Amino acid sequence: AQSVAQPEDQVNVAEGNPLTVKCTYSVSGNPYLFWYVQYPNRGLQFLLKYITGDNLVKGSYGFEAEFNKSQTSFHLKKPSALVSDSALYFCAVREDDYKLSFGAGTTVTVRA
Amino acid sequence: GAVVSQHPSWVICKSGTSVKIECRSLDFQATTMFWYRQFPKQSLMLMATSNEGSKATYEQGVEKDKFLINHASLTLSTLTVTSAHPEDSSFYICSARDDRGWTEAFFGQGTRLTVV
């Protein structure tokens, strides 16, 4: 079975500082990896994906992620965090039939 | 990206009653939709895969008679929580796969169910 792990429950950063949310994966075959963000009492918003190609993937709202095959990681990054980036972030891997397996989630708090 | 609309956003019902939640793909067709359940500050747990015109596929441990899924058209899937009890209170989220071949899934805004 395919899975992802998010080792940090919480990440706290100051506004304007770089933000990194970690994700590692375990798959058989080529990974289809995704990052989603969730605001309170809302559904999930798609941020970015890695399917194939360049290891550095750029997504919505200034976020990017780096796919690292040797370290089986897909960390989410933003060079300069905003207070409005405070939310719950999920890493996910796509299984057969488009089912998604999610990590436990990381709560990001950006302080002003 | 494609838009998925989920209704209602929140619902409060009495124990023993049934509640229906709708998931619609607004600007695309979706042969396959997914239903997830999320507990507070936890991850999403896949409940079932909804397939248009056929029976849903339930994940292990999910009671199919408790959580009835109907996918009668290419743009609508419904989840009915039957004989609801307080332990069914949760946040339910649907997602849809765009038949045009998008690799990412699109999510509804979720439904907060409270059973009293």
Side-chain angles (χ1 to χ4, degrees):
Chain A
Q2 308 192 106
S3 65
V4 292
Q6 293 177 243
E8 300 163 317
D9 291 337
Q10 286 200 327
V11 170
N12 299 308
V13 298
E15 189 173 36
N17 282 2
L19 169 64
T20 298
V21 186
K22 296 180 180 177
C23 173
T24 58
Y25 65 88
S26 175
V27 302
S28 54
N30 295 320
Y32 282 30
L33 297 163
F34 304 84
W35 275 102
Y36 286 87
V37 60
Q38 183 181 33
Y39 294 96
N41 292 310
R42 302 299 301 273
L44 273 65
Q45 295 180 31
F46 169 75
L47 285 178
L48 49 79
K49 64 185 177 185
Y50 174 82
I51 305 299
T52 186
D54 291 340
N55 290 339
L56 185 63
V57 178
K58 292 189 182 297
S60 305
Y61 313 117
F63 283 94
E64 58 188 31
E66 186 169 8
F67 172 71
N68 188 315
K69 189 173 183 178
S70 62
Q71 297 185 4
T72 62
S73 67
F74 188 56
H75 301 332
L76 180 70
K77 300 181 180 181
K78 186 170 184 178
S80 179
L82 301 172
V83 172
S84 57
D85 293 327
S86 299
L88 183 57
Y89 290 80
F90 289 103
C91 182
V93 61
R94 197 188 85 182
E95 302 191 29
D96 295 338
D97 296 329
Y98 285 78
K99 290 194 289 187
L100 290 175
S101 289
F102 288 90
T106 299
T107 299
V108 170
T109 302
V110 182
R111 59 186 184 276
Chain B
V3 179
V4 176
S5 177
Q6 194 172 334
H7 179 81
S9 298
W10 60 271
V11 58
I12 301 173
C13 71
K14 293 183 177 181
S15 289
T17 62
S18 295
V19 173
K20 181 184 286 188
I21 302 170
E22 294 186 347
C23 181
R24 294 181 184 272
S25 55
L26 296 187
D27 52 359
F28 65 98
Q29 293 184 330
T31 301
T32 304
M33 294 186 178
F34 303 92
W35 287 96
Y36 295 84
R37 183 173 179 175
Q38 184 181 29
F39 292 100
K41 298 188 176 182
Q42 293 190 26
S43 189
L44 282 75
M45 179 191 77
L46 179 66
M47 299 174 66
T49 302
S50 172
N51 301 296
E52 187 270 336
S54 64
K55 291 183 179 180
T57 303
Y58 290 82
E59 296 299 303
Q60 191 172 7
V62 178
E63 300 176 61
K64 60 181 68 175
D65 295 332
K66 174 76 167 173
F67 299 101
L68 298 179
I69 291 172
N70 184 278
H71 194 151
S73 79
L74 288 173
T75 59
L76 174 64
S77 175
T78 60
L79 169 69
T80 301
V81 183
T82 63
S83 187
H85 288 94
E87 57 265 30
D88 298 324
S89 299
S90 192
F91 195 58
Y92 293 87
I93 306 176
C94 71
S95 73
R97 171 192 168 189
D98 190 328
D99 287 350
R100 292 171 295 184
W102 288 77
T103 50
E104 64 269 32
F106 300 99
F107 285 80
Q109 61 266 53
T111 298
R112 171 73 60 194
L113 170 63
T114 303
V115 184
V116 297

